[in-house]
Amino acid sequence: MLLPIILVGGAGTRLWPVSRETMPKPFMPIAGGGTLLHETGRRAAALPGVSDMAVVTNHAYAFKAAEEMADLGHGVRLSLLLEPEGRNTAPAVALAALWAQRRWGDSVTLLVLPADHVVTRWPDFVTAVSVAAQAARGGTLVTFGITPSGPESGFGYIECGEALAESQAHHVRRFVEKPARAQAEAFLAAGNFVRNSGMFCFTAGAILAAFDVCAPEILDGARRALAASEQSGGALRVDAAAFAALPSVSIDYAVMEKSKNVAVVPCDIGWSDVGNWTALAEVHPHKDEAGNAMIGDAVAINSQNVYVQADGRFIAAVGVRDLVVVDTPDALLVTHKDTSQDVKAVVDHLRRRKHAAALGVCRTCGLRGSAERLGAVFLRGRALGRGRAAPQAFSADGTGG
């Protein structure tokens, strides 16, 4: 059994002013499809052998997350694991693995996916997951490594060692933190380095055994939190006091970089972590001949490589290039694509001033809902058919469907 575990978290401050504390990055809509979370769910639900999946998220986003996942179209049963606060990915994965082990045993294969990534090459993604799941069923902890297209210094890297027996996966020789440009160029030239995607595959038994060796305090704390949690329908509300006692650390630091039993599946799946507006512009499926991407009521004249997102009023870009323009009802962002990483500094400035534009509101749907409304969403999702096909937001050739 393959069980996708989708992690919904992170403020996405580099995607302000659309991503806010009250509507974080996974709930951002992507041109040509639904939100990042919805597209991740559809991608996971369409995988062969998937009948259930779980979303780990903050309890404040329970209704919105359930609603986003209700119309996946494959009859997949959804469970919500609701954290009282964010404690990074290691506690989230430990909790999900314990919950899955309790329901399906040690052998259930977990596919851990961040909710805010884009994958445009569906057949290659299916192949990579199949390779990873096969290795994981043998007891190996598996991560996915993205084939680099250039010497990117904004990502962590993984050095591939020898191939596993009868597998396209490789032993991990080492993990490397975000390198300097020169080191990234050396990695690219070496040919055996891939980018760390933050996606993982392992059985519940294997990852819990690794936690027991590498981070026993996280495993013990997750057990206490799960034991004190409350189940209501398809949602598990995690005990606040027990969960708050867990250290805030990533699964990479807690387990993957310490374990001797880790493999990587090198893959080229059209992946992006959509870490800033420039990255979002790059994956936009509908650009004009000058590389301009227009969303909403907007036009580009004598301009090149411009991304404009209008919301409620007309925007014209005339005689400019390499710009990002994002308009919302209460804030306007204009930045050069080369400096879009620095948008986070704007959010820091707004937070220091306690400015409302840092918090914002979800304009499309409330993030909180009653238990009755949450239950209705679960029922609606479970009533869907079971036809299984590739997600349509980004088809196999990368275009919108």
Side-chain angles (χ1 to χ4, degrees), residues 55-123:
V55 170
V56 184
T57 189
N58 189 285
H59 67 85
Y61 307 139
F63 176 73
K64 179 62 174 171
E67 186 175 63
E68 288 295 327
M69 302 293 282
D71 298 325
L72 302 181
H74 299 288
V76 173
R77 291 179 294 271
L78 173 68
S79 296
L80 294 181
L81 308 185
L82 303 177
E83 301 173 324
E85 60 180 283
R87 303 301 292 165
N88 216 317
T89 54
V93 171
L95 185 75
L98 287 167
W99 169 82
Q101 180 195 49
R102 187 168 70 180
R103 293 191 63 175
W104 292 286
D106 283 338
S107 63
V108 60
T109 302
L110 311 181
L111 177 65
V112 178
L113 302 172
D116 54 0
H117 292 181
V118 166
V119 171
T120 62
R121 296 175 186 164
W122 166 252

Side-chain angles (χ1 to χ4, degrees), residues 270-291:
W271 174 91
S272 173
D273 69 346
V274 199
N276 55 51
W277 285 109
T278 300
L280 185 61
E282 287 175 356
V283 300
H284 192 285
H286 306 299
K287 298 186 183 77
D288 66 19
E289 62 278 4

Side-chain angles (χ1 to χ4, degrees), residues 52-326:
D52 291 81
M53 74 170 65
V55 170
V56 184
T57 189
N58 189 285
H59 67 85
Y61 307 139
F63 176 73
K64 179 62 174 171
E67 186 175 63
E68 288 295 327
M69 302 293 282
D71 298 325
L72 302 181
H74 299 288
V76 173
R77 291 179 294 271
L78 173 68
S79 296
L80 294 181
L81 308 185
L82 303 177
E83 301 173 324
E85 60 180 283
R87 303 301 292 165
N88 216 317
T89 54
V93 171
L95 185 75
L98 287 167
W99 169 82
Q101 180 195 49
R102 187 168 70 180
R103 293 191 63 175
W104 292 286
D106 283 338
S107 63
V108 60
T109 302
L110 311 181
L111 177 65
V112 178
L113 302 172
D116 54 0
H117 292 181
V118 166
V119 171
T120 62
R121 296 175 186 164
W122 166 252
D124 296 322
F125 176 69
V126 174
T127 298
V129 170
S130 176
V131 171
Q134 181 180 18
R137 285 191 287 269
T140 302
L141 309 181
V142 184
T143 186
F144 295 79
I146 306 302
T147 305
S149 57
E152 294 282 349
S153 59
F155 298 93
Y157 281 75
I158 300 170
E159 184 177 8
C160 301
E162 297 298 320
L164 273 63
E166 300 181 0
S167 175
Q168 297 175 43
H170 291 252
H171 292 286
V172 169
R173 195 166 286 166
R174 61 172 170 147
F175 289 85
V176 183
E177 284 301 307
K178 297 176 182 179
R181 174 81 180 190
Q183 191 177 19
E185 291 174 348
F187 290 167
L188 187 65
N192 67 325
F193 284 83
V194 290
R195 297 199 318 228
N196 190 349
S197 69
M199 301 185 296
F200 307 99
C201 190
F202 29 63
T203 64
I207 189 61
L208 292 174
F211 268 111
D212 195 32
V213 172
C214 301
E217 71 286 356
I218 294 177
L219 181 59
D220 292 343
R223 281 178 174 146
R224 287 191 294 271
L226 183 63
S229 298
E230 297 179 358
Q231 183 80 41
S232 176
L236 178 78
R237 190 172 292 272
V238 180
D239 182 75
F243 195 72
L246 283 162
S248 179
V249 61
S250 73
I251 186 68
D252 300 85
Y253 288 135
V255 175
M256 303 300 286
E257 295 181 10
K258 297 177 182 177
S259 176
K260 305 300 183 185
N261 182 35
V262 181
V264 59
V265 176
C267 52
D268 187 1
I269 55 177
W271 174 91
S272 173
D273 69 346
V274 199
N276 55 51
W277 285 109
T278 300
L280 185 61
E282 287 175 356
V283 300
H284 192 285
H286 306 299
K287 298 186 183 77
D288 66 19
E289 62 278 4
N292 301 308
M294 302 285 112
I295 298 176
D297 194 8
V299 65
I301 298 172
N302 297 328
S303 297
Q304 292 180 313
N305 200 29
V306 173
Y307 178 90
V308 175
Q309 185 164 319
D311 183 359
R313 55 183 167 183
F314 176 74
I315 296 178
V318 181
V320 295
R321 61 187 305 161
D322 300 323
L323 289 184
V324 170
V325 181
V326 180

